[in-house]
Structure formats: C-alpha cells, structure tokens
Amino acid sequence: MNKIYALAAGALWASGVLASAAQAQTFHLSQDRYLAQGNAALEAGELEDALAYLRKAVGKNITEQERIITFNSICAVENILGHPQDALAACDAAIAGDSHYWKAFVNRGNARAALGDREGALADYCRADELSPDHVSGGFEESCNSLG
C-alpha cells in the first residue's frame, strides 16, 4: 500500500512540476483577433480602423515578433495618414524590439523625412540598405558612403 501512495505522490509531484513549467509558456493557436481585424482593415484600405485595431493588438498577449511587426505596420499607417511624429514613435518601438528589422528602418526614414530630418532619414535608409541590400534601393545609396 505504501508503494501505491509513493507512486501516486511521485506522479502528482511530477505532474505539478510539469504543469508549472507549462504555465510559464504562452501558446498561440490562432492569430490575435485585433491583429486579424487590423490586417483585414489594411487590405480593405480602411486605415483609421486598421490603426485602431493594431494599437489594441500591441497591448495584448501576442508574440514579441508579432509586436515588432505590428509596431512597424502602425508606423507605416501613421506615415500614410500624415502623422510622422506618431509614426516615428511606432518605428522606434519596432526597432527597439529588433534592431535588424530593415522594414522599420525604411518606415522610420520616411517619418524622419516627413519631419524634415534629412540626415536622420538618410541614416535610416542606409541602415536598411546595409541590413537588406536586395530589398532596399534608391538614390540615397551613394550618400551612404559619405556617412561612414
């Protein structure tokens, strides 16, 4: 009888340890609904709605990679809507999460250009080109060499 209790206690202890380890992880079985709605609104060209959904999504339980991409999307939409200061803040958040995310550097460069910060824009475009030369090109490339 003692062996049964020992086995049961061992099984309960092991399941408790495994359960506590499993609770420390977050599993995403489907895309966050705000992300899905934001992406759908973007595809439909409903930029204000997209922005509202995307802003809600970054405050929810999404993966870090989703958060970085979402901040970059917010940056792009804010740029399109003519809000470069808000775009800059969103791109800064994306870059803080992944300093190698070239798309965020392009978008931040656009925001800086809209704010009149030509040097900052050039630095961002050059960094994007450095990170992904196959995806980034433009008349700025020769100027990148002079920044060095």
Side-chain angles (χ1 to χ4, degrees):
M1 191 68 139
N2 286 340
K3 286 184 180 181
I4 292 174
Y5 288 121
L7 287 172
L12 286 173
W13 178 82
S15 67
V17 169
L18 295 175
S20 66
Q23 290 173 357
Q25 298 176 6
T26 302
F27 294 96
H28 298 272
L29 301 177
S30 62
Q31 186 180 41
D32 176 79
R33 69 182 171 125
Y34 292 119
L35 279 180
Q37 290 170 316
N39 289 331
L42 276 176
E43 288 179 21
E46 299 164 355
L47 299 180
E48 295 284 349
D49 290 341
L51 190 57
Y53 288 126
L54 295 173
R55 288 209 176 277
K56 287 180 183 179
V58 295
K60 299 296 179 181
N61 187 25
I62 59 176
T63 68
E64 187 59 22
Q65 190 60 34
E66 287 172 324
R67 191 174 323 285
I68 292 163
I69 292 168
T70 302
F71 272 124
N72 185 58
S73 294
I74 290 169
C75 177
V77 172
E78 291 285 19
N79 273 328
I80 293 167
L81 292 175
H83 308 138
Q85 197 65 48
D86 293 331
L88 186 65
C91 276
D92 284 344
I95 291 167
D98 182 355
S99 63
H100 293 91
Y101 190 38
W102 66 269
K103 292 178 182 180
F105 282 97
V106 170
N107 285 329
R108 188 171 74 176
N110 293 339
R112 285 181 166 175
L115 291 168
D117 179 5
R118 295 176 54 84
E119 287 181 25
L122 179 61
D124 281 341
Y125 296 146
C126 293
R127 178 68 175 136
D129 183 54
E130 177 185 314
L131 291 169
S132 186
D134 292 340
H135 294 101
V136 181
S137 63
F140 63 87
E141 289 172 313
E142 284 188 27
S143 300
C144 292
N145 297 329
S146 67
L147 287 179

